[in-house]
């Protein structure tokens, strides 16, 4: 894909008679339009204006995380691999959070009773996260909120989920009372039921969490890649011009490393 983009850009720039000095532009053609600053340095700013339309038309990669609020591995994934990707390449992927995981539910009268792997406290956490997603109605804001909570839980294991959720809400100017009312009412119960339905609809069915799908696809190989280098997975999947952070990862992952036995 990168080679195809490079050839396309070379053809476009050749058509306009553009010759770029390597002393001024030390990047491959596929990255000349990655940012306005790069385009100016490579003397293709005007031509990149039209080319950026392709980037806007490229479909964003969807990363969906099926998780549960007090799962240590889920907390670790949110605060490491997923957070790193969010800070580096968030402009080319979307994040969908599904807080339910290995829980079970049982219909009782007009509501559902949930049974969670890490006890009742985890069910409370799942409800709070589901309600935060509903209340905030912005995937980036809700993920940023979830990351804040996970960070507190990761560093202070004795902090309960509601306490961490309230603290993060205060830090991020979020109306926690609205989230809390949702989590303790019928709305939260129905929202968490929807998370249960979505989790059960997975194909293949999940058998652990965190469980990650990329554009709706899950394989063991893909799961392993998302845990070790989610940025590379997102960059490889994205069909538009790659942001500069992708190039950094490409250089890093294609380097030849000496084995310790050779030292």
């Amino acid at each position: 894909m990168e080679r195809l983009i490079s050839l396309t850009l070379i053809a476009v720039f050749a058509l306009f008679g553009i010759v770029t000095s390597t002393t001024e532009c030390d990047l491959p053609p596929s990255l000349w339009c990655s940012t306005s600053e790069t385009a100016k340095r490579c003397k293709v700013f005007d031509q990149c204006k039209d080319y950026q339309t392709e980037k806007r038309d490229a479909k964003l990669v969807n990363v969906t995380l099926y998780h549960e609020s007090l799962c240590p591995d889920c907390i670790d994934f949110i605060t490491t691999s997923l957070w790193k990707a969010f800070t580096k390449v968030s402009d080319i992927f979307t994040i969908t959070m599904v807080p339910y995981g290995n829980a079970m539910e049982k219909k009782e009268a007009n509501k559902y009773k949930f049974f969670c792997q890490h006890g009742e406290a985890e069910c409370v956490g799942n409800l709070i996260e589901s309600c935060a997603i509903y209340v905030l109605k912005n995937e980036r804001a809700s993920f940023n909120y979830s990351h804040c909570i996970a960070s507190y839980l990761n560093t202070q294991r004795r902090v309960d989920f509601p306490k961490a959720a309230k603290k993060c809400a205060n830090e991020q100017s979020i109306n926690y009372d609205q989230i809390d009312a949702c989590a303790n009412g019928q709305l939260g119960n129905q929202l968490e039921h929807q998370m249960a339905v979505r989790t059960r609809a997975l194909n293949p069915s999940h058998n652990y969490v965190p469980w990650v799908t990329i554009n709706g696809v899950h394989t063991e190989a893909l799961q392993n890649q998302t845990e070790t280098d989610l940025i590379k997975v997102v960059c490889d999947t994205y069909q538009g011009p790659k942001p500069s952070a992708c190039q950094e990862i490409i250089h890093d992952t294609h380097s030849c490393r000496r084995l310790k036995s050779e030292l």
Side-chain angles (χ1 to χ4, degrees), residues 57 60 82 104 147 175 201 211 213 217 241 256:
D57 291 342
L60 299 180
L82 188 52
M104 296 182 290
H147 170 262
N175 186 342
W211 184 272
T213 65
V217 176
C256 296

Side-chain angles (χ1 to χ4, degrees), residues 55 60-61 63 82-95 139-140 143 231 234-235 238 243 245-246:
K55 182 175 180 179
L60 299 180
V61 178
V63 178
L82 188 52
W83 178 248
K84 183 179 179 181
F86 181 75
T87 58
K88 292 287 187 178
V89 292
S90 62
D91 58 330
I92 63 171
F93 80 101
T94 62
I95 302 176
E139 65 178 27
R140 294 178 187 276
F143 172 69
I231 293 178
V234 171
C235 289
Y238 184 61
C246 290

Side-chain angles (χ1 to χ4, degrees), residues 126-179:
N126 290 345
L127 281 165
I128 290 174
E129 291 207 77
S130 294
C131 284
I133 293 169
Y134 176 83
V135 169
L136 295 175
K137 293 181 171 58
N138 181 296
E139 65 178 27
R140 294 178 187 276
S142 59
F143 172 69
N144 200 40
Y145 180 56
S146 293
H147 170 262
C148 178
I149 297 172
S151 296
Y152 274 111
L153 295 175
N154 198 34
T155 57
Q156 303 178 41
R157 293 293 184 179
R158 293 185 179 181
V159 175
D160 62 82
F161 200 97
K163 182 177 180 180
K166 187 173 183 178
K167 184 175 181 63
C168 287
N170 291 334
E171 291 180 1
Q172 299 181 7
S173 299
I174 294 171
N175 186 342
Y176 182 72
D177 289 340
Q178 191 175 1
I179 295 175

Side-chain angles (χ1 to χ4, degrees), residues 217-233:
V217 176
H218 176 94
T219 66
E220 286 302 305
L222 193 59
Q223 176 76 28
N224 291 335
Q225 290 173 23
T226 63
E227 293 178 2
T228 58
D229 196 349
L230 180 58
I231 293 178
K232 186 177 187 304
V233 173

Side-chain angles (χ1 to χ4, degrees), residues 89-109:
V89 292
S90 62
D91 58 330
I92 63 171
F93 80 101
T94 62
I95 302 176
T96 302
M97 307 283 282
V98 185
Y100 183 77
N102 298 324
M104 296 182 290
E105 66 174 4
K106 180 181 179 182
K107 184 71 177 292
E108 293 184 352

